[in-house]
């Protein structure tokens, strides 16, 4: 088949009307991201409880905390797995096809979610070790979902609404975070009503009831349910026409799949296909000089912006409970029992998700194909920088009881503009601007760079946010630079993200072949 006929087939996909199947694909791919977000962020709801159950010492003034190395491992090990999974499954998605790899990631997530709740052992070290082991593999499965979901959605969509469709898949993250908070509130409220316990300062020994051990396990295991519900439909999705046409070189199969999926008929001339197409001389590899000259700066732009964004985003999300505690919005741990503390932390996360995280995602969905990816990402980084400095510079002002509502509003706005900004666009753009044969791989590399940033946030800010006064740090932690200086540092990180955004091209309104330069390759061949 000639490159011209090849482009006719792909052009039919670009101009196709929005079909019911597009929305089905959003839900099927999006439920993976719903599960991803639930699994990644629910751990922050139960880490305080894990400290109480396994590390409280008799006679201590305060409830137990996870030791620094254990806390860093529990919070960060899933990100290490995610980074590995993004690289591995991103590469595999280009080698074997999107569909073949898609089911593997979901099943791995389901099994690992259940295993996390079954973490076993008599000693605290054994429970934490098995929990970390299973959370690594949970992260590995989650990692595969990033490049595959983004690539599949970008290759199914028409060029007019492609950005909104990819962003909608990613926006399911917001509902996953929200669901994590609501489910944790529900479970903790049920257990708290059934097994009444005094606050730690009233009776340390009875403030953590034995049944509390079930609470965190149920919360972690629940993440398997939404993934299992969509497994069947994920397996029914056909391979994307672009992969079949451009990578597998089976134009007849691509035309057939596209006709079924999008309810469009292709004329017989377009379906006359020779599957013996020689490999284009211009089909350069990832490590070639040609890729470096065409897409090197693009890859630097997508990796650097995602890396910087995730340092800020994940450190805020994972440790917002500590920030709320610092300003007094969450009571001191000793004033609560173990189960009630989960409820209070979950309530705070749910409020932030409801008021800022979820709306921010859907603002991106609404506007990304109108104002473009570049403008939204630039604006998001700029507003995140402004609000972070507005919180950090007068930080003492926000800690006064009368100003706590103002603090929560400002903090919520940083989340809103993260999601109506780079948290969504860094996911969308790598799925659009690279060639089909490298699209999943390059998205995986970009996403892995983001998770490296998340690891920096998860590990680094555990220590950095500690009080500068040794007497006021959490048990086992050295003094840090304090919450205020940590927030200032995050403001600088956001500003750097703004600068690196200028390396990322605009892809609004263009076909994937125009964005990636594959049209030029076809013409040169």
């Amino acid at each position: 088949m000639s490159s011209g006929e090849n482009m006719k087939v792909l052009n039919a996909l670009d101009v196709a009307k929005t079909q019911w199947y597009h929305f089905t694909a959003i839900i099927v791919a999006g439920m993976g991201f719903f599960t991803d977000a639930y699994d990644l962020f629910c751990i922050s709801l139960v880490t305080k409880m894990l400290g109480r159950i396994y590390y409280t010492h008799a006679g201590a003034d305060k409830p137990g905390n996870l030791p620094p190395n254990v806390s860093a491992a529990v919070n960060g090990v899933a990100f290490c797995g995610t980074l590995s999974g993004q690289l591995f499954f991103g590469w595999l998605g280009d080698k074997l096809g999107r569909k073949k790899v898609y089911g593997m990631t979901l099943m791995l997530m389901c099994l690992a979610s259940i295993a996390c709740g079954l973490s076993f052992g008599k000693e605290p070290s054994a429970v934490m070790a098995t929990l970390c082991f299973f959370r690594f593999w949970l992260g590995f499965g989650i990692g595969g979902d990033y490049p595959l979901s983004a690539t599949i959605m970008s290759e199914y969509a028409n060029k007019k609404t492609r950005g909104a469709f990819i962003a909608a898949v990613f926006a399911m993250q917001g509902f996953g975070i929200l669901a994590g908070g609501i489910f944790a509130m529900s479970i903790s409220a049920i257990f708290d009503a059934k097994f009444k316990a005094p606050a730690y300062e009233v009776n340390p020994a009875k403030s953590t009831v034995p049944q509390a051990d079930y609470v965190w396990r149920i919360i972690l295991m629940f993440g398997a349910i939404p993934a299992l519900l969509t497994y069947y439909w994920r397996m029914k999705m056909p391979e994307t026409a672009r992969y079949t046409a451009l990578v597998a070189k089976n134009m007849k199969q691509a035309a057939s799949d596209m006709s079924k999926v999008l309810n469009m008929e292709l004329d017989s001339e377009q379906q006359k296909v020779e599957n013996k197409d020689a490999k284009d001389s211009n089909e350069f590899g990832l490590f070639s000089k040609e890729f470096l000259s065409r897409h090197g700066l693009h890859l630097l732009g997508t990796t650097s912006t995602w890396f910087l964004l995730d340092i800020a985003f994940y450190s805020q999300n994972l440790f917002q409970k500590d920030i709320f505690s610092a300003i007094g919005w969450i009571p001191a741990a000793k004033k609560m029992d173990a189960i009630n503390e989960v409820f209070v932390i979950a309530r705070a996360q749910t409020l932030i998700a409801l008021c800022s995280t979820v709306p921010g995602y859907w603002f991106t969905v609404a506007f990304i194909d109108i104002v473009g990816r570049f403008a939204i990402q630039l604006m998001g980084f700029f507003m995140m920088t402004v609000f972070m400095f507005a919180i950090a510079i007068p930080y003492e002002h926000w800690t006064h009881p009368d100003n706590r509502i103002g603090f929560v509003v400002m903090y919520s706005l940083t989340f809103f503009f993260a999601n109506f900004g780079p948290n969504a666009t860094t996911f969308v753009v790598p799925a659009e601007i690279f060639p089909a044969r490298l699209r999943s791989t390059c998205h995986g590399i970009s996403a892995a760079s983001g998770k490296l940033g998340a690891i920096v946030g998860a590990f680094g800010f555990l220590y950095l946010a500690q009080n500068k006064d040794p007497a006021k740090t959490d048990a086992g932690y050295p003094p840090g630079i304090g919450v205020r200086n940590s927030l200032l540092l995050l403001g600088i990180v956001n500003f750097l993200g703004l600068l690196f955004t200028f390396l990322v091209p605009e892809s609004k309104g263009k076909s994937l072949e125009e964005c990636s330069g594959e049209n030029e390759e076809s013409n040169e061949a």
Side-chain angles (χ1 to χ4, degrees):
M1 186 179 217
S2 72
S3 63
E5 288 169 344
N6 178 3
M7 288 306 159
K8 284 180 186 176
V9 174
L10 300 182
N11 184 60
L13 194 60
D14 284 327
V15 299
K17 292 180 180 179
T18 299
Q19 308 279 335
W20 175 247
Y21 190 83
H22 285 119
F23 297 104
T24 306
I26 289 171
I27 293 168
V28 173
M31 285 308 289
F33 269 89
F34 177 97
T35 307
D36 296 349
Y38 181 96
D39 288 334
L40 285 177
F41 292 113
C42 69
I43 194 68
S44 67
L45 302 174
V46 300
T47 47
K48 293 282 191 185
M49 172 175 274
L50 291 172
R52 283 183 183 250
I53 294 172
Y54 296 106
Y55 292 94
T56 296
H57 302 291
D61 293 335
K62 295 189 291 186
N65 268 315
L66 294 180
N69 59 332
V70 175
S71 184
V74 168
N75 280 302
V77 71
F79 295 143
C80 297
T82 305
L83 188 156
S84 307
Q86 286 162 337
L87 293 172
F88 176 73
F89 287 115
W91 168 79
L92 205 61
D94 282 333
K95 292 297 179 187
L96 301 183
R98 294 34 163 151
K99 182 191 174 181
K100 286 181 181 177
V101 185
Y102 212 25
M104 298 181 205
T105 62
L106 200 66
M107 192 48 62
L108 185 55
M109 286 157 56
C110 292
L111 294 174
S113 288
I114 295 168
C116 285
L118 299 176
S119 298
F120 49 84
K122 294 182 179 179
E123 297 298 318
S125 57
V127 177
M128 294 300 118
T130 51
L131 175 60
C132 288
F133 175 80
F134 292 129
R135 277 192 66 78
F136 175 87
W137 290 108
L138 174 65
F140 194 71
I142 288 171
D145 230 40
Y146 276 73
L148 292 167
S149 291
T151 302
I152 285 170
M153 201 65 243
S154 73
E155 292 180 346
Y156 270 131
N158 58 54
K159 64 183 181 182
K160 185 178 179 182
T161 57
R162 186 180 62 239
F165 286 164
I166 305 171
V169 169
F170 194 62
M172 296 296 282
Q173 261 200 348
F175 289 128
I177 295 170
L178 186 63
I182 292 172
F183 185 72
M185 285 172 64
S186 303
I187 291 297
S188 56
I190 291 167
F191 272 76
D192 204 26
K194 182 75 173 173
F195 307 104
K196 283 290 182 185
Y200 186 86
E201 64 182 0
V202 175
N203 190 329
K206 292 185 178 180
S207 69
T208 304
V209 296
Q211 292 80 5
D213 198 51
Y214 293 114
V215 173
W216 71 268
R217 294 176 186 273
I218 292 170
I219 291 171
L220 295 187
M221 292 172 76
F222 182 75
I225 294 175
L228 281 171
L229 291 176
T230 53
Y231 182 78
Y232 171 78
W233 287 277
R234 189 172 277 204
M235 290 297 89
K236 293 283 284 182
M237 293 176 78
E239 184 56 84
T240 70
R242 280 189 161 89
Y243 181 86
T244 306
L246 296 174
V247 183
K249 302 293 185 186
N250 189 339
M251 297 301 302
K252 186 174 184 178
Q253 186 64 47
S256 172
D257 288 345
M258 195 166 60
S259 295
K260 291 175 187 173
V261 167
L262 297 178
N263 298 320
M264 62 168 62
E265 289 299 323
L266 297 172
D267 63 49
S268 56
E269 182 187 359
Q270 288 181 337
Q271 292 192 44
K272 289 176 188 173
V273 181
E274 291 180 16
N275 290 326
K276 298 177 183 178
D277 283 359
K279 188 174 180 179
D280 283 350
S281 59
N282 276 4
E283 289 205 351
F284 48 84
L286 181 66
F287 300 105
S288 65
K289 288 182 180 178
E290 187 71 15
F291 178 86
L292 190 63
S293 65
R294 287 176 183 251
H295 299 291
L297 284 178
H298 297 163
L299 190 58
L300 176 61
T302 57
T303 53
S304 59
T305 51
W306 208 336
F307 172 76
L308 293 163
L309 176 274
D310 273 10
I311 290 176
F313 185 78
Y314 278 88
S315 59
Q316 281 177 255
N317 234 321
L318 281 169
F319 305 111
Q320 61 185 350
K321 62 184 183 299
D322 299 313
I323 292 172
F324 286 139
S325 297
I327 63 156
W329 207 53
I330 293 177
K334 64 182 180 181
K335 296 182 180 295
M336 298 178 281
D337 65 84
I339 295 175
N340 184 242
E341 187 175 34
V342 173
F343 180 88
V344 172
I345 293 169
R347 184 178 61 189
Q349 176 168 303
T350 303
L351 183 64
I352 291 293
L354 199 58
C355 296
S356 62
T357 307
V358 172
Y361 281 117
W362 291 99
F363 263 73
T364 301
V365 174
F367 290 105
I368 192 167
D369 287 313
I370 299 172
V371 301
R373 289 75 161 144
F374 178 81
I376 287 177
Q377 184 162 311
L378 202 66
M379 175 204 66
F381 269 127
F382 175 76
M383 298 305 290
M384 287 170 70
T385 305
V386 168
F387 285 115
M388 197 60 74
F389 283 134
I391 292 170
I393 293 170
Y395 182 70
E396 293 303 319
H397 167 81
W398 299 117
T399 60
H400 296 155
D402 294 342
N403 302 323
R404 286 173 188 165
I405 298 299
F407 176 91
V408 173
V409 170
M410 299 282 278
Y411 190 70
S412 297
L413 283 169
T414 63
F415 271 108
F416 176 82
F417 283 105
N419 294 312
F420 181 33
N423 194 39
T425 55
T426 52
F427 176 80
V428 173
V429 174
E432 299 181 310
I433 64 174
F434 298 107
R437 63 187 176 277
L438 299 171
R439 185 169 291 134
S440 180
T441 301
C442 289
H443 194 285
I445 292 169
S446 302
S449 178
K451 278 300 164 284
L452 185 61
I455 292 167
V456 171
F459 283 82
F461 282 86
L462 265 172
Y463 294 87
L464 285 175
Q466 292 296 318
N467 201 294
K468 288 185 276 189
D469 182 353
K472 296 181 180 179
T473 61
D474 289 336
Y477 286 86
I481 61 174
V483 173
R484 179 180 182 271
N485 289 332
S486 297
L487 292 171
L488 282 171
L489 190 58
L490 290 177
I492 295 168
V493 166
N494 290 331
F495 180 71
L496 290 173
L498 183 151
L499 296 180
F500 277 98
T501 295
F502 287 95
L503 296 176
V504 181
E506 179 58 76
S507 49
K508 176 173 77 81
K510 299 177 181 177
S511 72
L512 292 179
E513 288 67 45
E514 288 176 295
C515 295
S516 64
E518 285 171 288
N519 278 350
E520 298 168 29
E521 290 176 38
S522 297
N523 293 333
E524 291 170 11

